[in-house]
Structure formats: C-alpha cells, structure tokens
Amino acid sequence: EDKVVQSPLSLVVHEGDTVTLNCSYEVTNFRSLLWYKQEKKAPTFLFMLTSSGIEKKSGRLSSILDKKELFSILNITATQTGDSAIYLCAVLRDDKIIFGKGTRLHILP
Amino acid sequence: NAGVTQTPKFRILKIGQSMTLQCTQDMNHNYMYWYRQDPGMGLKLIYYSVGAGITDKGEVPNGYNVSRSTTEDFPLRLELAAPSQTSVYFCASSHLDRQETQYFGPGTRLLVL
C-alpha cells in the first residue's frame, strides 16, 4: 500500500529559528515528490523534486530529495510568523497524488 | 479566469440526506480530483478523473460517486450522508503535462449531523 509519512506532525518554534520537516514515502511508480503550504484554505504549491541530491530553493525555503532512502526534507531558515501553516508532502505517481498528513508549524513571535 | 470554483462553501446535512458538491474549472485541464481533509489531517483522495468520461477511485471512495461528462465539471455526489463524512472537501485540477501543479478550489465545509 502506498504511503507518505511526515514528521513531526506538529511543531512550535520561535521566530528566527530554523526548522526541518521530514517526509518519507513508499509509493510504486514514483514520479515526483511535492511540497505544499496550506494556510487557511487550499494548499499552494511550493516545490517539485524529481532527482536525488538537487536542492530546490525559494527564499528562506529549501528542499532536497533522497530517492535511495525514499526521503525528503523541507528546511525553513529564519522563520517568520507568516510561515505558520500546515506543510504537506505528497508523491506524484501515475495519474494521482498521494498526500501525507502534514506538519502543522506554528511560529511564536 | 476564475480558476477552480466550488459550491456550496458550507452545508449542514442530516444523516441519510444526499447532496452534490459542484466543481468547475475554466483552465481546460484534463485532470480533476476530489479530496477530503479531516481536522488536523492531510488530504485524502476520493476520486479523480483524467478526462471527460473517465473516472477512477482514490484512497477513500466509499460513500461517494462522481461523474465527468464535460472537461469543466466534476461533481461529487453523497448519496446517504453519514457523520464520518463531516470534512472539508477540496476539488483540484491540473494540466496533463503539469500534474504536480494542482490548482485547488476554495473548499466546501460539510457538517453531517
């Protein structure tokens, strides 16, 4: 059975801290790993990772994939209160996307 | 472009009632999806469609039905509502060549009492 597991499920840090969110997967016919940010409503796309070892960056966010270990991390440096959200990891396979449960991140001012 | 629109935004149902959640996209996307998100949880795929006339089950299809008679519309039907179907429902669409970029609708919050 395909599964995407995220850890931790919940995280509370202070503004300025650096956080690392984890995502492991066991999915047949893997195509890509995706990260989404979900604030109050629908998820918004952050990154797509297809190849191992190539870091994707967008401002203070970065992510990398390890296809041998079936693992990805999402790093957020110098966190701000606006980073508070649920971060969803998902795997694209065939014609559908399988989501993890998400990590709920709360940044304290 | 309106993107992906969903109606209604919020609905309360009694156990055993039926309803249809509407989803429409105006981006000519081939792929459309229905997800449910329970409190504190990630998204679970209910049904998806790769084009008009084609639908497939996702992780949690029981208690739901879909149809895709046009490219634009992908309604989700609940026949006999149960409290376990209390959730937020998201419709999404994506282009054939850019499946990773899913465009989500604003969601429908459903409460079954």
Side-chain angles (χ1 to χ4, degrees), chain A residues 31-32 34 36 38 41-45 48 86 88 92-102 104, chain B residues 31 33 35 37 39-45 48 50 57-59 90 96 98-102 104-106:
Chain A
R31 288 174 56 184
S32 304
L34 314 169
Y36 291 81
Q38 184 178 23
K41 287 204 170 178
T44 54
F45 175 76
M48 180 181 75
I86 297 173
L88 297 168
L92 173 64
R93 56 146 287 179
D94 297 339
D95 296 323
K96 57 187 179 183
I97 295 178
I98 300 168
F99 283 84
K101 292 183 179 180
R104 184 178 293 272
Chain B
Y31 289 74
Y33 313 81
Y35 296 93
Q37 186 174 34
M41 304 288 280
L43 298 166
K44 290 189 176 179
L45 183 66
Y48 67 102
V50 302
K57 295 179 181 178
E59 290 179 81
F90 288 103
L96 173 65
R98 291 276 297 173
Q99 283 176 259
E100 72 282 359
T101 306
Q102 293 200 339
F104 284 84

